[in-house]
Amino acid sequence: MTPVELSRTVLCAVRRAVDVGELDVSVPASVAVGPPGPGGCGDYASNVALRLAGQAGRPARDVAEVLRPHIEGDPGVAEVTVTGPGFLNITLAAGASAGLVEQVLEQGTRYGYGDTLAGQLVELRVPYDTRAEIVADALVRIVATQGGRAEVRHAEPVNLRPVPAPEDPALLGHDAARWALLHPAAPDRPRISADHLLQRESNPLFRVRYAHARTRALRRNAATLGYSHSHSHSHSHSHSHGHNSQSQSRVGVPTGTSGTGVSPAPAPARFGTTPAETDLLAALADYPHALRLAARDRAPDRVARHLVVTADAVLGFQYTVLPLGDEKPSAAHRARLALAEAAGAVLAGGLSLLGISAPEYL
């Protein structure tokens, strides 16, 4: 289950509570979910009960308790806990994470695209400044991910003026120069330094590009060992649709036929069984939210920072993907490879939005 799908689940819960007379409120147009805050738990949290409490004329915790069973009734939800003044903390069912990975693999580098700016024209008026122009260039692509169209003009009054770079970043080369200008938030002065070229962990750009290269290497190494993530789609720009009688319809789970000739329903792959997997799943699930915020706030740094989070999760997870020693590839290895390839799709897509290359080898 993706954050968008979970948002719809929560919104449906509000609508059901209103329909049966448990709440007397206007159903909102949308509901936001995000990572749990301090004191929270589970995979996601929503403040919808706090938003509706005033209309309902009831304490937010009471509203949350009304909504809780309606949300728990969704098969993709394992548990809902009410914390604090009325936050709904949602733990997803085991199969929900497999659905998220499948969605990323199916959508590839377009995962996270939405329609929050559909039909909107975003005018970006920038000064004659290198950083402002690079930021605007990235925003054209980021706004497009949400269905909008951005136009860049050198005109007054300026509405996009990030703090200029103290010196010309061109000497860093294309990728490092763009990262140096896009990674800091607009009010922060960018650091133009050869540190952006270092191939070491202290360099966030290196970690992001290296993590992408590692996901590609894991795929190549798995192929050498004779297995793949067993999804019918590649996370790359191409989408193969080949099938055969032993095709594998779910991530990490082969389908066969029983003695009756009927294909049994495959069990969903299990993810999130280790902290490293949980961190990576959380990063993938939050990527659409990062894109929405980047488009809304005209802030490509949100994409850059989220890529760093995703890359760090990949680098902590990568050692579990391939079999060790005499170990044979299992369904668990296929599922982890699927997760790694999904992460590679997010890293490649995010780097592309920033205008930075995603290397196959590094």
Side-chain angles (χ1 to χ4, degrees):
M1 180 179 291
T2 67
V4 172
E5 291 169 335
L6 182 57
S7 295
R8 294 187 187 122
T9 295
V10 177
L11 189 60
C12 288
V14 175
R15 187 172 290 112
R16 284 195 296 270
V18 171
D19 289 345
V20 299
E22 295 176 338
L23 287 178
D24 183 13
V25 298
S26 299
V27 179
S30 62
V31 170
V33 298
C41 58
D43 299 305
Y44 295 97
S46 175
N47 67 349
V48 65
L50 283 78
R51 288 176 53 195
L52 298 176
Q55 280 190 62
R58 301 168 63 177
R61 283 191 69 95
D62 287 358
V63 175
E65 288 294 348
V66 168
L67 296 175
R68 182 175 59 80
H70 292 289
I71 299 172
E72 285 183 333
D74 189 283
V77 174
E79 183 181 15
V80 179
T81 304
V82 179
T83 61
F87 291 103
L88 288 158
N89 296 260
I90 303 166
T91 300
L92 299 181
S97 295
L100 169 64
V101 173
E102 287 185 341
Q103 181 178 13
V104 180
L105 292 171
E106 288 170 355
Q107 297 181 2
T109 55
R110 293 182 61 83
Y111 167 68
Y113 286 26
D115 58 3
T116 58
L117 297 179
Q120 295 187 33
L121 174 63
V122 178
E123 189 175 284
L124 303 174
R125 300 187 299 274
V126 302
Y128 287 94
D129 169 72
T130 300
R131 188 185 183 198
E133 291 167 349
I134 294 294
V135 169
D137 174 71
L139 283 173
V140 169
R141 289 184 290 275
I142 291 170
V143 167
T145 70
Q146 302 306 304
R149 181 169 64 90
E151 289 185 352
V152 183
R153 294 196 298 150
H154 292 288
E156 296 290 344
V158 168
N159 64 2
L160 183 66
R161 191 192 297 273
V163 173
E167 55 190 292
D168 186 0
L171 293 178
L172 297 177
H174 179 272
D175 288 340
R178 291 186 71 91
W179 183 267
L181 299 178
L182 294 171
H183 181 247
D188 297 337
R189 184 172 297 278
R191 182 174 52 87
I192 308 303
S193 164
D195 289 350
H196 293 295
L197 302 174
L198 297 177
Q199 295 197 16
R200 59 180 61 168
E201 289 186 0
S202 59
N203 178 6
L205 174 60
F206 170 71
R207 296 206 306 275
V208 171
R209 298 175 81 235
Y210 178 64
H212 176 266
R214 285 300 303 147
T215 66
R216 306 304 288 160
L218 290 169
R219 182 181 185 180
R220 292 191 298 271
N221 293 339
T224 300
L225 294 174
Y227 76 98
S228 69
H229 64 59
S230 66
H231 192 276
S232 62
H233 296 277
S234 166
H235 95 253
S236 64
H237 301 292
S238 63
H239 294 273
S240 172
H241 296 273
H243 296 274
N244 57 45
S245 61
Q246 295 297 316
S247 67
Q248 309 202 356
S249 63
R250 295 296 299 274
V251 171
V253 185
T255 61
T257 55
S258 65
T260 62
V262 178
S263 297
R270 290 192 62 85
F271 293 98
T273 57
T274 67
E277 287 182 17
T278 300
D279 290 346
L280 185 50
L281 286 164
L284 299 188
D286 203 37
Y287 180 65
H289 183 59
L291 285 186
R292 287 193 297 273
L293 292 181
R296 184 196 71 184
D297 299 340
R298 317 296 187 252
D301 58 284
R302 288 185 177 273
V303 175
R305 291 200 302 272
H306 192 79
L307 293 181
V308 175
V309 172
T310 304
D312 289 344
V314 168
L315 296 176
F317 161 77
Q318 61 175 320
Y319 304 106
T320 68
V321 175
L322 299 176
L324 300 177
D326 295 331
E327 191 178 10
K328 300 297 183 183
S330 65
H333 291 112
R334 294 185 180 92
R336 293 173 195 145
L337 181 61
L339 180 53
E341 291 207 37
V346 167
L347 292 170
L351 286 169
S352 177
L353 293 175
L354 300 179
I356 297 172
S357 64
E360 295 278 318
Y361 300 87
L362 193 62

